[in-house]
Amino acid sequence: MWKFACSPLNRQSFYRNDSARLKLWKQQENARLILLNEKYQILMQPDGIHPQNATHHSDAPIQQRWIYLGHADSTPWFCARVKSGEFELSHHQQWLDLKLALPQLAEPYASTLAYAKALIYWHQHHQFCGKCGASTYIHSAGHERYCEKCSKSIFPRTDPAIIVSITHGEHLFLARQNIWPEKRYSVLAGFVEPGESFEQAVEREVWEESKLNVHSIKYLGSQPWPFPCSIMIGFQAEAKSMEFDLQDDELDQAMWVSPTSIIDKLKSGELLLPSSGSISQFLIERWAHQHKINLSKYRAS
């Protein structure tokens, strides 16, 4: 199963405007705090990635920026953004990019980190009202921004994107972007546009990028993807032919692989798979399992 899809939190949205209750939760000894810096890096402890004890960061300036995430059993969880320069690291702590940390992250903590990162990213990019241009302010424990000038409430949004494994017979279609690490290939993906269904987005994106016509589109699952603030909606589809023509400037190369050829390419180093924990990895492995081959030992770090 992919990461970021196993949240332990009860988000308790009905308490987000209860300032007295939130204040008490912030003071609880078992409260947990996820810290990210201005680069959206997470704070990492020497023995791995763990949430901070919130009582260690209860000074007023930082606490005012705490965002309530929810409760896991009796433990309240918060997140906050701090500037690297105003935060003193101790005991060999370090800031680490969430995507680089992905192979090290275990559930359910990974999902909570993704939730925190997505909210903090949204806040940093919605500090002004899109209607009148005035400054907006944090409301509802960090789940709303409010413009006092035009009385407009702004709520967090997630960008939907489809991701699809395309097959033709026993073959799987893989492609790569020129900004990816050398030899890294994956399945096709793209953002959903206004006014179209997920299935229509699959057909359009695949055609625009490869000139492949697809049918028999089947939904498989979704993954919150905090890079920066998306949700990946996973599909499988069948191509009507194997003739493709790359049209998207983002795609550098593409190829069809068979169950036999993918093993050969992985063994020779000609092909690298997507990162462990991603839905793209799952889609490729699902195809492989259907053909009774195990790709787990070829997972990228």
Side-chain angles (χ1 to χ4, degrees), residues 5-298:
C6 187
S7 177
L9 298 181
N10 179 348
R11 301 195 180 196
Q12 302 192 121
S13 59
F14 37 84
Y15 289 134
R16 289 173 183 168
N17 291 307
D18 189 337
S19 57
R21 189 184 297 267
L22 289 167
K23 184 177 180 180
L24 289 174
W25 285 344
K26 290 179 181 180
Q27 295 170 349
Q28 278 189 212
E29 290 187 3
N30 67 339
R32 290 292 178 263
L33 177 65
I34 296 171
L35 289 176
L36 291 91
N37 64 13
E38 65 276 8
K39 298 179 181 178
Y40 307 105
Q41 297 170 320
I42 58 173
L43 187 62
M44 181 175 178
Q45 302 285 52
D47 57 343
I49 302 168
H50 302 289
Q52 302 292 300
N53 186 312
T55 58
H56 295 165
H57 307 282
S58 58
D59 54 304
I62 292 181
Q63 195 175 88
Q64 290 175 359
R65 303 198 296 266
W66 287 16
I67 295 172
Y68 174 61
L69 299 175
H71 266 67
D73 297 323
S74 61
T75 301
W77 284 70
F78 298 87
C79 67
R81 178 181 178 269
V82 297
K83 295 180 180 179
S84 300
E86 70 180 6
F87 188 86
E88 184 177 352
L89 299 181
S90 61
H91 306 296
H92 307 290
Q93 294 174 327
Q94 62 175 313
W95 296 105
L96 187 64
D97 183 88
L98 183 56
K99 185 174 286 188
L100 295 178
L102 184 58
Q104 305 174 41
L105 297 177
E107 292 293 7
Y109 184 42
S111 291
T112 307
L113 278 174
Y115 176 19
K117 198 257 182 186
L119 271 179
I120 288 176
Y121 178 89
W122 175 78
H123 276 286
Q124 292 308 116
H125 289 78
H126 290 81
Q127 297 185 41
F128 299 93
C129 178
K131 181 178 179 181
C132 71
S135 295
T136 59
Y137 302 93
I138 291 178
H139 271 230
S140 191
H143 293 262
E144 177 185 343
R145 294 190 73 89
Y146 184 73
C147 174
E148 294 180 342
K149 185 175 180 180
C150 67
S151 302
K152 179 179 175 62
S153 294
I154 304 120
F155 299 96
R157 293 291 183 266
T158 298
D159 298 324
I162 58 89
I163 183 166
V164 54
S165 59
I166 305 164
T167 57
H168 187 274
E170 67 171 10
H171 289 80
L172 175 70
F173 188 72
L174 297 176
R176 58 169 278 106
Q177 297 183 16
N178 55 19
I179 60 172
W180 289 355
E182 188 177 357
K183 301 176 183 179
R184 174 70 55 83
Y185 282 76
S186 185
V187 293
L188 298 189
F191 287 104
V192 179
E193 293 188 350
E196 68 179 357
S197 68
F198 295 152
E199 292 81 3
Q200 289 172 330
V202 169
E203 292 179 341
R204 176 187 54 77
E205 279 288 342
V206 171
W207 172 254
E208 288 179 354
E209 294 186 355
S210 66
K211 285 295 186 287
L212 287 171
N213 279 304
V214 294
H215 63 101
S216 302
I217 299 170
K218 178 182 179 182
Y219 171 75
L220 298 178
S222 62
Q223 179 184 38
W225 193 244
F227 309 111
C229 192
S230 305
I231 182 161
M232 307 300 296
I233 303 104
F235 291 90
Q236 175 189 352
E238 292 287 328
K240 294 181 179 180
S241 77
M242 295 180 67
E243 296 182 10
F244 66 89
D245 181 14
L246 299 186
Q247 298 294 313
D248 196 318
D249 292 338
E250 291 183 2
L251 294 183
D252 182 43
Q253 297 177 12
M255 61 182 170
W256 289 98
V257 292
S258 67
T260 301
S261 67
I262 194 172
I263 293 294
D264 293 338
K265 291 178 183 297
L266 288 167
K267 286 182 176 179
S268 67
E270 183 182 347
L271 170 65
L272 296 178
L273 296 177
S275 300
S276 174
S278 63
I279 194 171
S280 55
Q281 175 80 21
F282 165 81
L283 293 175
I284 295 172
E285 290 195 341
R286 181 179 181 276
W287 164 82
H289 291 161
Q290 291 174 337
H291 296 282
K292 297 180 172 53
I293 56 178
N294 184 2
L295 300 180
S296 60
K297 60 182 177 180
Y298 302 108

